[in-house]
Amino acid sequence: MLKPSTPTPNHLRTLKLSFFDQLALPVYVPILFYYLPSVDIISCDKLQNFLAETLTKFYPLAGRFSEDDDELSIHCNDEGVEPPKIDLLPEMDHQPSCPLLGIQVNLFNCGGLVIGTYISHKIADAFTLATFVKEWAYTSFTGTLKAGSLPSFDHLSSLFPTRVLSETTQFPSYIINTTRPKIVTRRFIFDALAIANLKNTIEDSTAIRPIRVVLIMSLIWKVLVGISTAKNGHSRDSSLLFLINLRGKSNLPSLDNDALGNCTMYGIANYMEARKDHELNDFVKLVGNTIGDTCVAIGKAESVDDISSLIVNNQRKVIEKFAQGDEIDVYPSTSWCRFCWYETDFGWGKPFWVSLVECDAFEGISLMDTKDGDGIEAWVSLKENDMAQFERYPNILSSTSKLAFPFLSIN
């Protein structure tokens, strides 16, 4: 176990989770950083020392869930970060006694290196993970901690404390644990030219000029609706779920751009079976308008209670959709674009690739930047038969510059 280099002060030993953390799924989130061989690669001992220094600022990540209050707080006891050895990622099990963060450094005979990271979603979203990794990289690159202090992890929990949740706002355990048909993941790469061509087709038929994340999510959703219609013999209700980062979208100071922890809410775009419009621009309007309307509602919120009500209402709607089982199609999605993953330089150069891993637990869509920052990698997880159709769909074949297959899976 790797502990912070300086013990956490007694007055910081207990961290209450926020309402955002309370709603997050109890899963670990993985990411991998791949580096080419370099004469400047520092030793694992030094990398661990710099990690220990970084953990003094991110001390909750070295703690454990408290079993005394139904895991609604973190005991910041410096028990440590786990660096086990299995595949390219640490093996983690989301239990109260388990670490919140696992990191594995993989050295190859060729001199290349892969850093695999697992972090508990109950304490961190993509923004928080990116902030931590960049801070660790900065400390390794410069040999010193960045000047100034980060916002406290309890910044959000002080204004958005946990609350008693009704069953209608909690994800049932079967959503995560139920045995499902085999899920496979494929990585589809949309380069800048493909995205530009897609935008041109939109601009020919509408005044909307969508951002690339909206465009790719809309295209994938359109294809999935088409596959579902062909499979069932008729169109049916379909929903695209996506997490919206609340930071910087509200006038409330509690939701500033630097808040650590979870700070997201669901946006829900609905395609009703009665709709006759199924062109790409129709899906772009649905996704774009949903994001726009949700952000407007966040901006108009005048109090913490207003924000909490928005979160609870959309959370309840998401639970209701999952509860309908196979009666409708529900596709969770997330975007990790614009988090500057490729700027993670520990002192031996920037990564030549940053990736997610295969998911065989549930269907979903995850978007990442390509290295040049202009394209998008779409990691799509679907039932095996649906994926066979998805890969051959004309819209996908004509828009992806190449197709690659990941080699890691998580349960």
Side-chain angles (χ1 to χ4, degrees):
M1 293 296 173
L2 190 65
K3 304 176 184 296
S5 58
T6 303
T8 299
N10 287 334
H11 71 282
L12 297 176
R13 285 278 170 159
T14 299
L15 171 69
K16 295 290 186 181
L17 296 184
S18 73
F19 181 49
F20 299 103
D21 300 325
Q22 186 182 12
L23 294 177
L25 288 171
V27 296
Y28 286 97
V29 178
I31 190 167
L32 292 160
F33 299 84
Y34 305 76
Y35 296 89
L36 293 172
S38 170
V39 296
D40 298 320
I41 289 181
I42 62 178
S43 69
C44 282
D45 286 342
K46 286 186 176 181
L47 201 58
Q48 289 186 62
N49 291 337
F50 292 133
L51 175 58
E53 291 183 28
T54 306
L55 286 172
T56 61
K57 282 189 174 184
F58 292 82
Y59 58 90
L61 300 182
R64 298 294 184 272
F65 284 111
S66 174
E67 299 185 61
D68 298 330
D69 61 352
D70 296 325
E71 301 176 28
L72 294 179
S73 66
I74 304 295
H75 184 31
C76 304
N77 56 4
D78 297 340
E79 194 165 332
V81 171
E82 186 170 18
K85 300 293 182 184
I86 180 170
D87 295 325
L88 296 182
L89 283 165
E91 184 177 25
M92 308 286 280
D93 186 16
H94 213 285
Q95 302 294 330
S97 60
C98 289
L100 304 178
L101 175 67
I103 293 176
Q104 183 166 308
V105 178
N106 308 273
L107 300 173
F108 294 87
N109 291 335
C110 67
L113 179 149
V114 173
I115 296 178
T117 300
Y118 253 157
I119 195 167
S120 171
H121 200 351
K122 295 295 288 185
I123 194 175
D125 56 12
F127 172 87
T128 302
L129 175 57
T131 303
F132 163 72
V133 173
K134 283 185 282 189
E135 186 81 10
W136 178 25
Y138 176 89
T139 303
S140 300
F141 188 90
T142 63
T144 182
L145 287 170
K146 189 179 295 184
S149 59
L150 288 166
S152 171
F153 270 87
D154 61 11
H155 181 67
L156 288 171
S157 60
S158 62
L159 291 171
F160 294 90
T162 57
R163 57 177 68 187
V164 177
L165 297 178
S166 66
E167 291 185 2
T168 59
T169 56
Q170 299 184 73
F171 280 104
S173 58
Y174 66 77
I175 289 179
I176 303 174
N177 300 327
T178 298
T179 302
R180 288 180 169 80
K182 182 178 180 181
I183 303 294
V184 297
T185 301
R186 298 289 183 265
R187 179 171 65 102
F188 300 88
I189 301 178
F190 299 82
D191 62 18
L193 178 59
I195 292 174
N197 290 336
L198 285 170
K199 283 186 177 182
N200 289 336
T201 65
I202 294 295
E203 292 167 1
D204 288 343
S205 57
T206 177
I208 294 178
R209 184 176 177 81
I211 60 174
R212 60 198 180 106
V213 167
V214 170
L215 183 66
I216 299 306
M217 279 189 176
S218 301
L219 173 65
I220 294 173
W221 189 24
K222 173 189 182 301
V223 171
L224 293 176
V225 168
I227 292 172
S228 175
T229 300
K231 181 172 64 176
N232 293 289
H234 59 84
S235 62
R236 62 181 194 169
D237 292 352
S238 180
S239 294
L240 182 72
L241 315 178
F242 39 84
L243 288 173
I244 295 177
N245 182 3
L246 277 75
R247 297 174 181 87
K249 295 181 176 65
S250 168
N251 294 320
L252 302 179
S254 55
L255 294 175
D256 61 34
N257 288 315
D258 298 318
L260 295 178
N262 284 289
C263 191
T264 60
M265 66 173 287
Y266 280 106
I268 309 168
N270 296 309
Y271 181 91
M272 310 308 291
E273 64 173 316
R275 292 183 70 109
K276 301 301 182 184
D277 43 355
H278 53 270
E279 297 301 322
L280 178 57
N281 61 297
D282 301 316
F283 287 88
V284 167
K285 287 179 183 177
L286 280 174
V287 176
N289 289 342
T290 299
I291 293 175
D293 293 345
T294 305
C295 290
V296 167
I298 295 168
K300 288 183 177 179
E302 297 180 353
S303 67
V304 166
D305 287 340
D306 289 343
I307 294 289
S308 297
S309 295
L310 285 172
I311 295 169
V312 168
N313 288 339
N314 277 19
Q315 180 87 359
R316 185 177 292 114
K317 291 176 183 177
V318 168
I319 302 298
E320 289 172 351
K321 291 183 180 299
F322 276 110
Q324 294 183 56
D326 288 335
E327 297 299 317
I328 65 172
D329 298 315
V330 182
Y331 303 106
S333 68
T334 186
S335 170
W336 282 23
C337 295
R338 299 304 185 197
F339 282 120
C340 301
W341 303 109
Y342 283 93
E343 298 301 312
T344 309
D345 186 349
F346 288 85
W348 56 77
K350 297 177 181 179
F352 78 90
W353 188 34
V354 180
S355 84
L356 304 175
V357 302
E358 180 178 0
C359 175
D360 61 6
F362 49 82
E363 295 182 290
I365 305 158
S366 298
L367 304 185
M368 291 279 290
D369 289 314
T370 53
K371 186 177 181 179
D372 61 13
D374 297 324
I376 284 181
E377 288 189 7
W379 292 66
V380 183
S381 300
L382 297 172
K383 298 183 185 72
E384 194 169 22
N385 290 338
D386 291 345
M387 179 59 76
Q389 297 298 318
F390 186 88
E391 291 176 300
R392 296 195 296 266
Y393 221 81
N395 296 102
I396 298 300
L397 289 173
S398 63
S399 301
T400 51
S401 55
K402 62 178 178 177
L403 174 65
F405 300 89
F407 48 86
L408 284 176
S409 64
I410 56 173
N411 294 320

